[in-house]
Amino acid sequence: MSITEPTGQIPDTDGTARQWWRQAAVYQIYPRSFADANKDGIGDFVGVLSRVDYLASLNVDAVWFSPFYPSALADGGYDVDDYRDVDPSIGTLADFEAVIAALHGRGIKVIIDIVPNHSSNRHAWFREALASPAGSPARDRYLFRDGKGPGGELPPNDWQAMFGGSAWTRIAEPDGTPGQWYFHMFAPQQPDWNWDNPEVREDFLATLRFWGDRGVDGFRVDVASGLAKDMSEPYPEWERVMHGPMSFLESAEVTFDPGRHPLFDRDELDEIYAGWRQVFNTYDPPLFAVAEAWVTPDRQARYASTDGLGQSFNFDLLSAGWDIGDFRTVIQRNLEFAEANDTTSTWVFSNHDVIRHATRYSQSSGYRPMFDRMTRPDDAAAARGLARARAATLLALALPGSAYLYQGEELGLPEVFDIPADRAQDPSAVIENGVIVAGRDGCRVPLPWTASGEFFGFSDGGAHLPQPKWYGAFSVEAESDDPNSTLTLYREALRLRRKFHTSEHLEWLDLGNNVLAFTRPNGWISVTNFGATPAQLPVGTVVVRTDGRHDRAPLAPDSTAWLVRG
Ligand code: TEU
Ligand code: CA
């Protein structure tokens, strides 16, 4: 065994409470699908309160709540009517304060989703904009433009929205005549803010303070790369994007010079987030933020800067195949990035936007695009997917940096494919011949808490997305006392991670082809077998492994083991 290539020498953290986020295991709750206390089929904060013991039992360091704000749910709550309130179906501000207190009481930090790229079309300022004339200050808070054509009947340009269709929607003016158009990067119900407008900037700072004053520890910043825009024309590059083979996001990386895409990752963002940082630093410890920015590692530094948001999601493992080369490259590159920028990396396999990783990894090739079409795998493929998902997660939990876990992955929950088309909620769902063939509802189905019961313990009254018959086998109840369950694996791994995670240093170990292994200071070793035959383990005491064994037997394919030495 020899050390092949040291990674960037990541300095050990000072370990103070101020830097709690550098090595945190963060558990994402999609509130409407977590636990329903008042039996209306929609998860709520009282439901979360009843599960605080469960969250503590997972040994996670923080909980991130996806949006819980008042919303008509055109986009799962990412269409926000009011940034400083709670949707009545989820609870009240007082309920949320009780949740914060209960989680803090168990040593768990609280991160909330903030959605600054767009509001909903029911936001008071959007309504005011509709009721006000073209050119008014109220219209200037959003991106209104006159249409093209003799009567302005054509959209200002041919930009497409992320969920398909034109990114422009025409309004009726207050007198009822067809009028201006407004820009929306996502659904028509999600009008984009104009971040050049000082009132918009001030209002978001007020929102940050509002939640900071209520004890929230930080924010996950939705579409963090989208706020600054240059809506002037022409953009010749854009023509190539619109009429070429690339997706919207790919276009940002290859078609435009860095910082010159009209809609994403523009340099003006630095100034916006520097303003946020000033607010964050008025708290002790400073409020934390992680950027959702689908940008290349070299551009991530701007979001993760200590003058800016502090941390930026790295989604590279989420889109990597089950392939030792891919994993190694992604890990190496992101650790180097983190070291160079005085931040830490983040590791993500699942969230509310992508096919659950237990299902993605069921493909024999190992790779599955995150938003692609998939059908339910057969039992053998599903078992392979789960084995790889467990191995991938254990590997990532041993890496320096933060791990972001999505509710249900600790149960090994697969994607749900059998949702009737008339129950679809996701605006990006693709329905063909009466069947959902792609979309994000399948990872948002309410959690199974009990092995039986009409709603598997999620609720006594309903489930806003239907749960499949097989759900009970993946329930908290079914897995809690099973030593080989995924839930037991997560609990144990997260417990050990807290104990071992004392530094940010990693060194690769060479254990042969198809075995990805590394050691951390204090003798903590992680070994993953990407190959097709069992792999010998190095010297050390086995503390946890994902293949159902607990001894030093060779490590099965598609498995990870942790050992300690010394
Ligand atoms: O997602 C931003 C985003 O660009 C994609 O991940 C998006 O989910 C995907 O293209 C959909 O097919 C964030 C949120 O995570 C997502 O849930 C919201 O829908 C979106 O912003 C709009 O707020
Ligand atoms: Ca409810």
Side-chain angles (χ1 to χ4, degrees):
M1 183 191 329
S2 66
I3 293 168
T4 49
E5 56 189 270
T7 65
Q9 303 294 304
I10 294 168
D12 289 357
T13 46
D14 59 4
T16 65
R18 296 172 68 81
Q19 302 267 337
W20 64 267
W21 52 270
R22 292 183 71 93
Q23 305 289 321
V26 184
Y27 182 86
Q28 179 189 359
I29 289 184
Y30 189 76
R32 290 178 178 81
S33 299
F34 188 68
D36 171 28
N38 69 349
K39 308 183 188 180
D40 63 355
I42 299 167
D44 45 52
F45 281 141
V46 177
V48 174
L49 264 184
S50 74
R51 301 294 181 186
V52 167
D53 283 348
Y54 175 75
L55 294 168
S57 82
L58 291 177
N59 304 309
V60 292
D61 304 306
V63 165
W64 146 30
F65 288 98
S66 275
F68 47 77
Y69 313 107
S71 172
L73 302 181
D75 181 20
Y78 285 88
D79 45 323
V80 178
D81 298 349
D82 179 350
Y83 292 89
R84 297 174 216 146
D85 204 353
V86 173
D87 192 276
S89 70
I90 292 184
T92 62
L93 264 177
D95 292 340
F96 185 49
E97 285 174 5
V99 167
I100 297 174
L103 289 172
H104 282 172
R106 308 300 289 269
I108 300 173
K109 305 278 186 191
V110 177
I111 297 170
I112 63 172
D113 226 304
I114 184 151
V115 189
N117 180 69
H118 44 266
S119 69
S120 81
N121 58 347
R122 309 198 314 170
H123 191 283
W125 277 2
F126 192 73
R127 292 171 192 255
E128 190 189 336
L130 292 184
S132 305
S136 61
R139 289 257 169 115
D140 187 59
R141 296 185 189 121
Y142 292 90
L143 299 169
F144 283 88
R145 295 288 184 276
D146 292 333
K148 285 192 171 151
E153 69 280 4
L154 296 172
N157 61 30
D158 62 357
W159 294 357
Q160 300 291 298
M162 295 286 257
F163 297 146
S166 173
W168 298 94
T169 291
R170 196 173 196 189
I171 63 158
E173 294 297 338
D175 66 2
T177 57
Q180 285 197 300
W181 299 71
Y182 66 90
F183 178 80
H184 50 87
M185 197 180 278
F186 294 90
Q189 297 92 335
Q190 294 169 292
D192 282 40
W193 290 109
N194 172 19
W195 274 88
D196 288 335
N197 182 298
E199 279 185 296
V200 170
R201 293 193 181 210
E202 272 308 312
D203 196 58
F204 270 90
L205 297 180
T207 295
L208 300 176
R209 288 188 210 101
F210 178 91
W211 294 110
D213 292 350
R214 271 155 192 80
V216 157
D217 300 286
F219 302 93
R220 176 262 189 194
V221 184
D222 190 61
V223 197
S225 58
L227 280 50
K229 298 179 180 80
D230 179 1
M231 308 294 278
S232 67
E233 291 188 86
Y235 264 99
E237 302 101 321
W238 196 247
E239 289 306 307
R240 296 208 297 279
V241 174
M242 281 299 143
H243 306 292
M246 277 177 294
S247 77
F248 207 71
L249 290 170
E250 285 167 330
S251 74
E253 294 177 12
V254 295
T255 311
F256 295 91
D257 289 337
R260 251 195 54 78
H261 192 291
L263 302 177
F264 286 113
D265 196 30
R266 295 186 63 81
D267 294 337
E268 300 92 301
L269 289 165
D270 294 351
E271 188 197 329
I272 295 173
Y273 295 132
W276 290 29
R277 173 52 55 191
Q278 285 179 10
V279 172
F280 295 162
N281 287 352
T282 62
Y283 294 83
D284 186 24
L287 299 182
F288 156 76
V290 57
E292 189 219 20
W294 296 74
V295 297
T296 50
D298 54 314
R299 295 290 292 178
Q300 272 183 36
R302 300 168 49 254
Y303 303 87
S305 128
T306 46
D307 302 331
L309 296 175
Q311 196 180 53
S312 177
F313 275 121
N314 133 40
F315 293 119
D316 299 354
L317 274 189
L318 194 158
S319 52
W322 180 250
D323 177 277
I324 187 167
D326 286 3
F327 267 67
R328 196 180 161 117
T329 306
V330 163
I331 292 165
Q332 179 78 27
R333 184 173 69 194
N334 281 285
L335 291 180
E336 283 168 5
F337 155 77
E339 186 207 2
N341 294 286
D342 194 23
T343 181
T344 54
S345 197
T346 62
W347 310 108
V348 182
F349 292 108
S350 282
N351 63 33
H352 65 295
D353 287 336
V354 300
I355 296 170
R356 285 186 176 276
H357 67 298
T359 300
R360 283 203 318 272
Y361 286 134
S362 65
Q363 291 296 116
S364 54
S365 71
Y367 176 68
R368 199 69 210 174
M370 304 160 287
F371 312 113
D372 201 10
R373 296 166 185 236
M374 256 188 106
T375 49
R376 192 175 174 196
D378 64 28
D379 288 352
R384 173 174 60 213
L386 180 56
R388 289 176 174 175
R390 288 160 53 110
T393 298
L394 198 67
L395 184 168
L397 288 177
L399 292 171
S402 301
Y404 284 81
L405 312 169
Y406 176 53
Q407 68 178 35
E409 69 164 87
E410 78 279 19
L411 304 172
L413 211 56
E415 188 79 358
V416 176
F417 288 104
D418 27 19
I419 300 170
D422 62 2
R423 301 287 298 272
Q425 296 180 11
D426 179 10
S428 73
V430 181
I431 297 171
E432 286 174 2
N433 303 318
V435 177
I436 301 178
V437 295
R440 302 173 296 177
D441 289 325
C443 66
R444 300 177 179 183
V445 174
L447 286 190
W449 294 92
T450 56
S452 57
E454 201 181 352
F455 304 105
F456 300 102
F458 164 71
S459 170
D460 287 333
H464 68 99
L465 281 168
Q467 301 158 304
K469 289 194 177 59
W470 47 263
Y471 230 34
F474 290 89
S475 63
V476 173
E477 181 182 38
E479 295 194 19
S480 273
D481 298 324
D482 174 356
N484 294 322
S485 73
T486 304
L487 180 56
T488 301
L489 174 72
Y490 270 65
R491 282 177 167 151
E492 182 62 1
L494 287 160
R495 185 183 72 79
L496 291 167
R497 181 181 188 276
R498 268 191 186 155
K499 193 165 123 189
F500 296 147
H501 227 312
T502 53
S503 91
E504 297 182 6
H505 186 77
L506 172 152
E507 280 174 9
W508 296 111
L509 297 177
D510 183 2
L511 298 183
N513 290 343
N514 293 320
V515 180
L516 189 67
F518 54 86
T519 182
R520 304 284 305 276
N522 64 31
W524 180 20
I525 300 171
S526 177
V527 182
T528 301
N529 185 359
F530 284 86
T533 53
Q536 294 296 326
L537 291 173
V539 175
T541 306
V542 171
V543 289
V544 58
R545 48 192 286 169
T546 64
D547 61 359
R549 301 199 61 124
H550 302 273
D551 54 13
R552 288 194 42 84
L555 184 64
D558 299 336
S559 309
T560 293
W562 284 357
L563 301 90
V564 282
R565 205 165 38 192

